[in-house]
Coordinates of all heavy atoms in Angstrom, one line a residue:
S278 N 30.7 91.3 -113.2 CA 29.7 91.2 -112.2 C 29.4 92.5 -111.4 O 30.3 93.3 -111.3 CB 30.0 90.0 -111.2 OG 31.2 90.2 -110.6
V279 N 28.3 92.6 -110.7 CA 28.0 93.7 -109.8 C 27.6 93.2 -108.5 O 27.0 92.1 -108.4 CB 27.0 94.7 -110.4 CG1 27.4 95.3 -111.7 CG2 25.7 94.0 -110.7
K280 N 27.8 94.0 -107.5 CA 27.3 93.7 -106.1 C 26.8 94.9 -105.4 O 27.2 96.0 -105.7 CB 28.5 93.1 -105.4 CG 29.6 94.0 -105.2 CD 30.8 93.3 -104.4 CE 32.0 94.4 -104.2 NZ 33.0 93.7 -103.4
E281 N 25.9 94.7 -104.4 CA 25.4 95.9 -103.6 C 24.9 95.3 -102.3 O 24.5 94.2 -102.2 CB 24.3 96.4 -104.5 CG 23.5 97.5 -103.7 CD 22.3 97.0 -103.1 OE1 21.8 96.0 -103.5 OE2 21.8 97.7 -102.1
R282 N 25.1 96.1 -101.3 CA 24.7 95.8 -99.9 C 24.3 97.1 -99.2 O 24.9 98.1 -99.2 CB 25.8 95.1 -99.1 CG 25.4 94.6 -97.7 CD 26.6 93.9 -97.0 NE 26.3 93.5 -95.7 CZ 25.9 92.2 -95.5 NH1 25.7 91.4 -96.4 NH2 25.6 91.8 -94.3
L283 N 23.1 96.9 -98.5 CA 22.6 98.1 -97.7 C 22.2 97.5 -96.3 O 21.6 96.6 -96.1 CB 21.3 98.7 -98.4 CG 20.7 99.8 -97.6 CD1 21.5 100.9 -97.5 CD2 19.3 100.2 -98.3
E284 N 22.7 98.3 -95.3 CA 22.3 97.9 -94.0 C 21.7 99.2 -93.2 O 22.4 100.3 -93.3 CB 23.5 97.4 -93.1 CG 24.1 96.1 -93.7 CD 25.3 95.7 -93.0 OE1 25.9 96.5 -92.3 OE2 25.8 94.6 -93.2
F285 N 20.6 99.1 -92.5 CA 20.1 100.2 -91.8 C 19.9 99.8 -90.4 O 19.3 98.8 -90.0 CB 18.7 100.5 -92.5 CG 18.0 101.7 -91.8 CD1 18.5 102.9 -91.9 CD2 16.8 101.5 -91.2 CE1 17.8 104.0 -91.3 CE2 16.1 102.5 -90.6 CZ 16.7 103.8 -90.7
Y286 N 20.5 100.7 -89.4 CA 20.5 100.4 -88.0 C 19.7 101.6 -87.3 O 20.3 102.6 -86.9 CB 21.8 100.4 -87.5 CG 22.7 99.4 -88.0 CD1 23.4 99.5 -89.2 CD2 22.9 98.1 -87.4 CE1 24.1 98.4 -89.7 CE2 23.7 97.1 -87.8 CZ 24.4 97.3 -89.0 OH 25.2 96.3 -89.4
P287 N 18.4 101.5 -87.0 CA 17.6 102.4 -86.2 C 18.1 102.2 -84.7 O 18.2 101.1 -84.2 CB 16.2 102.0 -86.4 CG 16.1 101.1 -87.5 CD 17.5 100.4 -87.6
N288 N 18.3 103.3 -84.1 CA 18.8 103.3 -82.6 C 17.6 103.2 -81.7 O 16.7 103.9 -81.8 CB 19.5 104.6 -82.3 CG 20.3 104.5 -81.1 OD1 19.9 104.1 -80.0 ND2 21.6 105.1 -81.2
L289 N 17.7 102.1 -81.0 CA 16.6 101.7 -80.0 C 16.8 102.4 -78.6 O 15.8 102.5 -77.9 CB 16.4 100.3 -79.9 CG 16.2 99.3 -81.0 CD1 16.1 97.9 -80.6 CD2 14.9 99.8 -81.8
S290 N 18.0 102.9 -78.3 CA 18.3 103.6 -77.1 C 18.0 105.1 -77.3 O 17.7 105.8 -76.2 CB 19.7 103.3 -76.7 OG 20.0 101.9 -76.4
D291 N 18.1 105.6 -78.4 CA 17.9 107.0 -78.6 C 17.1 107.1 -79.9 O 17.6 107.2 -81.1 CB 19.2 107.8 -78.9 CG 19.2 109.3 -79.0 OD1 18.0 109.7 -78.8 OD2 20.2 109.9 -79.2
L292 N 15.8 107.0 -79.7 CA 14.9 106.9 -80.8 C 14.9 108.1 -81.8 O 15.0 109.2 -81.3 CB 13.4 106.7 -80.3 CG 13.2 105.4 -79.5 CD1 11.7 105.5 -79.0 CD2 13.4 104.2 -80.3
G293 N 14.9 107.8 -83.1 CA 15.1 108.9 -84.0 C 16.4 108.9 -84.7 O 16.5 109.5 -85.8
Q294 N 17.3 108.4 -84.0 CA 18.7 108.4 -84.5 C 18.9 107.0 -85.2 O 18.3 106.1 -84.9 CB 19.8 108.5 -83.4 CG 19.6 109.8 -82.6 CD 19.7 111.1 -83.4 OE1 20.3 111.1 -84.5 NE2 19.0 112.1 -82.9
Y295 N 19.9 107.0 -86.2 CA 20.2 105.8 -86.9 C 21.5 105.9 -87.6 O 22.2 107.0 -87.7 CB 19.1 105.6 -88.0 CG 19.0 106.7 -89.1 CD1 19.8 106.6 -90.2 CD2 18.3 107.8 -88.8 CE1 19.6 107.5 -91.1 CE2 18.2 108.9 -89.8 CZ 18.9 108.7 -91.0 OH 18.9 109.6 -91.9
R296 N 22.0 104.7 -88.1 CA 23.3 104.6 -88.9 C 22.8 103.8 -90.2 O 21.8 103.1 -90.2 CB 24.2 103.7 -88.2 CG 25.0 104.3 -87.0 CD 26.1 103.4 -86.5 NE 25.7 102.1 -86.2 CZ 26.2 101.1 -86.8 NH1 27.0 101.1 -87.9 NH2 25.9 99.8 -86.5
M297 N 23.6 104.1 -91.3 CA 23.4 103.4 -92.6 C 24.7 103.2 -93.2 O 25.6 103.9 -93.2 CB 22.5 104.3 -93.5 CG 22.2 103.6 -94.8 SD 21.4 104.7 -96.0 CE 22.8 105.7 -96.4
V298 N 24.8 101.8 -93.7 CA 26.0 101.4 -94.4 C 25.6 101.0 -95.7 O 24.7 100.1 -95.9 CB 26.7 100.2 -93.6 CG1 27.9 99.7 -94.4 CG2 27.1 100.7 -92.2
F299 N 26.3 101.6 -96.7 CA 25.9 101.2 -98.2 C 27.2 100.9 -99.0 O 28.1 101.7 -98.9 CB 25.1 102.2 -98.8 CG 24.9 102.1 -100.3 CD1 23.9 101.1 -100.6 CD2 25.6 102.7 -101.3 CE1 23.6 100.8 -102.1 CE2 25.4 102.5 -102.7 CZ 24.4 101.5 -103.0
D300 N 27.2 99.8 -99.6 CA 28.4 99.4 -100.4 C 28.0 98.9 -101.8 O 27.0 98.0 -101.8 CB 29.2 98.4 -99.8 CG 29.8 98.9 -98.5 OD1 30.7 99.7 -98.5 OD2 29.5 98.3 -97.4
T301 N 28.6 99.3 -102.9 CA 28.3 98.8 -104.1 C 29.6 98.7 -105.0 O 30.5 99.4 -104.7 CB 27.1 99.6 -104.9 OG1 26.8 99.0 -106.1 CG2 27.6 101.0 -105.1
G302 N 29.6 97.8 -106.0 CA 30.8 97.6 -106.7 C 30.6 97.0 -108.0 O 29.6 96.3 -108.2
A303 N 31.5 97.1 -109.0 CA 31.5 96.4 -110.2 C 32.9 95.8 -110.4 O 33.9 96.3 -110.1 CB 31.2 97.3 -111.4
I304 N 32.9 94.5 -110.9 CA 34.1 93.7 -111.0 C 34.3 93.4 -112.5 O 33.4 92.7 -113.0 CB 34.2 92.6 -110.1 CG1 34.0 93.0 -108.7 CG2 35.5 91.7 -110.3 CD1 33.6 91.9 -107.7
T305 N 35.3 93.6 -113.1 CA 35.7 93.2 -114.5 C 36.8 92.3 -114.5 O 37.9 92.7 -114.1 CB 36.0 94.4 -115.4 OG1 34.8 95.3 -115.3 CG2 36.2 94.0 -116.8
K306 N 36.7 91.0 -114.9 CA 37.8 90.1 -114.9 C 38.6 90.3 -116.1 O 38.2 90.3 -117.2 CB 37.2 88.6 -114.9 CG 38.2 87.6 -114.7 CD 37.6 86.2 -114.7 CE 36.8 86.0 -113.5 NZ 36.3 84.5 -113.5
V307 N 40.0 90.5 -115.7 CA 41.0 90.5 -116.8 C 41.6 89.2 -117.1 O 41.9 88.9 -118.2 CB 42.1 91.5 -116.3 CG1 43.2 91.7 -117.4 CG2 41.5 93.0 -115.9
S308 N 41.9 88.4 -116.1 CA 42.4 87.0 -116.2 C 41.8 86.1 -115.1 O 40.9 86.6 -114.3 CB 43.9 86.9 -116.1 OG 44.3 87.3 -114.8
K309 N 42.2 84.9 -115.0 CA 41.6 84.0 -113.9 C 42.0 84.6 -112.5 O 41.1 84.4 -111.6 CB 42.2 82.6 -114.1 CG 41.6 81.6 -113.1 CD 42.2 80.3 -113.4 CE 41.5 79.2 -112.5 NZ 42.1 77.9 -112.7
V310 N 43.0 85.3 -112.4 CA 43.4 85.8 -111.1 C 43.2 87.3 -110.9 O 42.9 87.8 -109.9 CB 44.9 85.5 -110.8 CG1 45.5 86.0 -109.5 CG2 45.1 83.9 -110.9
I311 N 43.4 88.1 -112.0 CA 43.4 89.5 -111.9 C 42.0 90.1 -112.4 O 41.5 89.6 -113.4 CB 44.5 90.2 -112.7 CG1 45.9 89.5 -112.3 CG2 44.5 91.7 -112.6 CD1 46.3 90.0 -110.7
S312 N 41.5 91.0 -111.7 CA 40.3 91.8 -112.0 C 40.5 93.2 -111.7 O 41.4 93.6 -111.0 CB 39.1 91.2 -111.3 OG 38.8 89.9 -111.5
W313 N 39.6 94.1 -112.4 CA 39.6 95.5 -112.1 C 38.3 95.7 -111.3 O 37.3 95.3 -111.8 CB 39.7 96.3 -113.3 CG 39.9 97.7 -113.0 CD1 39.0 98.8 -112.9 CD2 41.2 98.4 -112.7 NE1 39.6 99.9 -112.6 CE2 41.0 99.8 -112.5 CE3 42.5 97.9 -112.7 CZ2 42.0 100.6 -112.2 CZ3 43.5 98.8 -112.4 CH2 43.3 100.2 -112.2
Q314 N 38.4 96.4 -110.1 CA 37.3 96.6 -109.4 C 37.0 98.1 -109.1 O 37.9 98.9 -108.7 CB 37.4 95.9 -108.0 CG 36.2 95.9 -107.1 CD 36.2 94.9 -106.0 OE1 36.6 93.8 -106.2 NE2 35.8 95.2 -104.9
L315 N 35.7 98.5 -109.1 CA 35.2 99.8 -108.8 C 34.3 99.7 -107.6 O 33.3 99.0 -107.7 CB 34.6 100.5 -109.9 CG 33.9 101.9 -109.7 CD1 35.1 102.9 -109.4 CD2 33.0 102.3 -110.8
D316 N 34.6 100.5 -106.5 CA 33.7 100.4 -105.3 C 33.3 101.8 -104.9 O 34.0 102.8 -105.1 CB 34.5 99.8 -104.1 CG 34.7 98.3 -104.3 OD1 33.8 97.6 -104.5 OD2 35.9 97.9 -104.1

Side-chain angles (χ1 to χ4, degrees):
S278 60
V279 295
K280 60 180 182 176
E281 176 265 335
R282 183 182 182 90
L283 175 66
E284 298 174 351
F285 181 64
Y286 295 88
N288 196 313
L289 301 179
S290 301
D291 188 2
L292 297 180
Q294 306 299 334
Y295 63 92
R296 292 189 300 117
M297 186 185 72
V298 177
F299 176 74
D300 296 295
T301 186
I304 303 164
T305 302
K306 184 179 291 186
V307 179
S308 68
K309 186 176 181 180
V310 176
I311 302 296
S312 304
W313 192 264
Q314 181 163 324
L315 173 69
D316 288 308

